[in-house]
Amino acid sequence: MVLVVDRVPEGIKIWKFKLDGSSESFYLAGEFSGAVNLKRAVSGLVGRGRINCISFRMIFGGDLFAGPVPVDTEFFRRMEQLTGFFTLHLPSTMSMIEKFHEAFEGTPMMVFFENTFFRNLPDEEKYYALPVEYSENSGIRKWGFHGIFHENSAKTVSCGERTVSIVFDKLTTVCAIRGREPVSISLGYTPLEGVMSRTSSGDIDPGIVLYLMTVHKYSLHRIDDMLKEESGFLGLTGYDISIEDMIKFSGKDKKVDLAFQVYKSQILKYVAEGLSLLGGLDNIVFSGSGTGVLNPLIHGILKNMSFLGVNLKSLPWESEGEVVLASSPESRVKVYINKARIPDIIFQMSKPFLLSKKPA
């Protein structure tokens, strides 16, 4: 079996994959005081069969990794250099990996990063127009996100080099890709940039922050909470529900309609940016946990792109496989719905490491 492991706010989420690709998922709540307790808890969930590989998802690896890497002494040494980044996430993820490494000694382990796909992002897209010393000394630049999804989507297209990939997940990101290399990405240094989400603002005028501080005397902590936890769909509608549930109120609530109009407009802005950088468009791929439920929204976004020669099949878009071709045969731009989940993608990328001689 292969375990795909992710650090989530509730604790640890584990997907157990059989070698034929079938899977089931489990949650481990809370923290574990030691490797022995962790191994006992994991084994109690997944069973005591042979574990061929354990693969971890990590949001950030800086410029230190060119792709997936094994969990070994060199991995831990390099990660120590990144302790100043993502202080709410990286330390807890590293602690989890260290415990797994100790608990399942001898089992091959791999780490897959969300940002390594963007290592070769063009400099003009990578850097902000800030004093250069901040980029050099503090690492303030576009690092990107959803690289696992975007890279996988780039591999799904059947022809053409110019692709725009849109991911609907807890965050929404838009990436322009030429061949297999990213050209632009909507989310850069922090999750606040780019397209709004369920509770975060997305792009805003930076002067708004200064205004709130000077005129309304908001503290940095208050502004941080407002932009991350009180904005986006929640801020525009007042409804604290998922985007997938909120779309059910489209056409019935003016606040919801406005929120989706803003959301759609932001997505189209980044699609247009990618289109201009690519000099045209051959493919557009939608992926992420929101595909399926959000297909009516996707249909509306694509209707705004009909001037590019986008022609669609009628809804519902269905396919037995993971990838659905939503465009009609005469469409100049191919439209794909990629239904693959992150754990499925990581499992497929883990296959070269399945043949281990040592069981857990």
Side-chain angles (χ1 to χ4, degrees), residues 37 90 115 142 251 256 297 334:
N37 290 335
L90 282 187
N115 76 294
K142 280 202 170 187
V256 172
L297 172 67
K334 299 296 183 184

Side-chain angles (χ1 to χ4, degrees), residues 109-149:
M109 298 184 187
M110 297 294 297
V111 176
F112 296 82
F113 300 93
E114 288 286 11
N115 76 294
T116 52
F117 180 59
F118 303 102
R119 290 180 78 250
N120 297 323
L121 197 68
D123 285 349
E124 62 270 22
E125 289 295 315
K126 186 181 296 183
Y127 294 103
Y128 298 100
L130 296 171
V132 68
E133 59 265 25
Y134 291 101
S135 297
E136 294 176 345
N137 300 330
S138 302
I140 297 177
R141 45 163 276 199
K142 280 202 170 187
W143 293 102
F145 189 62
H146 279 149
I148 295 173
F149 268 131

Side-chain angles (χ1 to χ4, degrees), residues 20-320:
D20 62 4
S22 60
S23 67
E24 54 186 323
S25 62
F26 310 91
Y27 276 106
L28 282 176
E31 302 293 333
F32 292 89
S33 57
V36 174
N37 290 335
L38 176 64
K39 185 171 185 177
R40 185 182 297 117
V42 172
S43 299
L45 291 175
V46 305
R48 297 188 177 276
R50 176 177 178 174
I51 300 176
N52 298 78
C53 180
I54 301 176
S55 296
F56 301 93
R57 171 184 172 268
M58 180 164 279
I59 64 169
F60 186 72
D63 276 331
L64 303 180
F65 306 96
V69 296
V71 177
D72 54 17
T73 302
E74 179 65 12
F75 163 74
F76 289 117
R77 186 190 67 79
R78 291 188 185 184
M79 286 303 299
E80 286 179 358
Q81 302 175 47
L82 302 176
T83 54
F85 290 90
F86 301 100
T87 55
L88 294 178
H89 182 83
L90 282 187
S92 61
T93 303
M94 286 305 300
S95 174
M96 175 192 73
I97 294 175
E98 288 170 355
K99 289 175 183 176
F100 268 89
H101 190 244
E102 182 181 352
F104 296 92
E105 183 180 2
T107 301
M109 298 184 187
M110 297 294 297
V111 176
F112 296 82
F113 300 93
E114 288 286 11
N115 76 294
T116 52
F117 180 59
F118 303 102
R119 290 180 78 250
N120 297 323
L121 197 68
D123 285 349
E124 62 270 22
E125 289 295 315
K126 186 181 296 183
Y127 294 103
Y128 298 100
L130 296 171
V132 68
E133 59 265 25
Y134 291 101
S135 297
E136 294 176 345
N137 300 330
S138 302
I140 297 177
R141 45 163 276 199
K142 280 202 170 187
W143 293 102
F145 189 62
H146 279 149
I148 295 173
F149 268 131
H150 290 303
E151 184 174 15
N152 179 262
S153 288
K155 296 175 181 177
T156 67
V157 300
S158 59
C159 62
E161 286 203 338
R162 301 169 298 181
T163 300
V164 168
S165 169
I166 301 173
V167 176
F168 294 106
D169 202 40
K170 290 183 179 179
L171 298 171
T172 298
T173 58
V174 182
C175 179
I177 304 167
R178 181 176 285 111
R180 296 293 182 264
E181 294 291 332
V183 174
S184 68
I185 178 65
S186 58
L187 189 153
Y189 184 67
T190 76
L192 281 175
E193 187 178 14
V195 180
M196 65 187 252
S197 71
R198 186 179 71 85
T199 62
S200 65
S201 64
D203 290 339
I204 64 167
D205 179 350
I208 294 173
V209 174
L210 302 177
Y211 170 81
L212 291 173
M213 292 178 68
T214 57
V215 176
H216 292 278
K217 309 302 179 185
Y218 280 20
S219 68
L220 286 176
H221 293 296
R222 178 70 189 93
I223 293 172
D224 187 61
D225 286 342
M226 184 190 74
L227 295 180
K228 291 179 180 177
E229 306 296 337
E230 302 172 11
S231 299
F233 279 88
L234 172 60
L236 287 172
T237 67
Y239 302 144
D240 191 7
I241 57 176
S242 69
I243 298 174
E244 291 81 5
D245 286 334
M246 196 168 297
I247 199 169
K248 300 173 185 177
F249 296 96
S250 293
K252 304 174 184 177
D253 189 309
K254 291 182 179 180
K255 294 182 293 185
V256 172
D257 291 343
L258 173 62
F260 275 105
Q261 288 165 5
V262 174
Y263 184 56
K264 177 180 170 184
S265 177
Q266 291 180 348
I267 292 171
L268 286 169
K269 179 184 76 172
Y270 280 105
V271 170
E273 175 187 310
L275 177 65
S276 63
L277 292 171
L278 293 170
L281 189 61
D282 300 309
N283 313 284
I284 184 165
V285 187
F286 297 88
S287 62
S289 59
T291 56
V293 175
L294 296 181
N295 278 354
L297 172 67
I298 293 172
H299 190 276
I301 291 171
L302 294 168
K303 282 296 185 182
N304 280 84
M305 300 171 62
S306 60
F307 69 96
L308 295 173
V310 176
N311 289 293
L312 301 172
K313 297 177 182 177
S314 299
L315 287 169
W317 299 320
E318 296 178 349
S319 172
E320 293 183 0

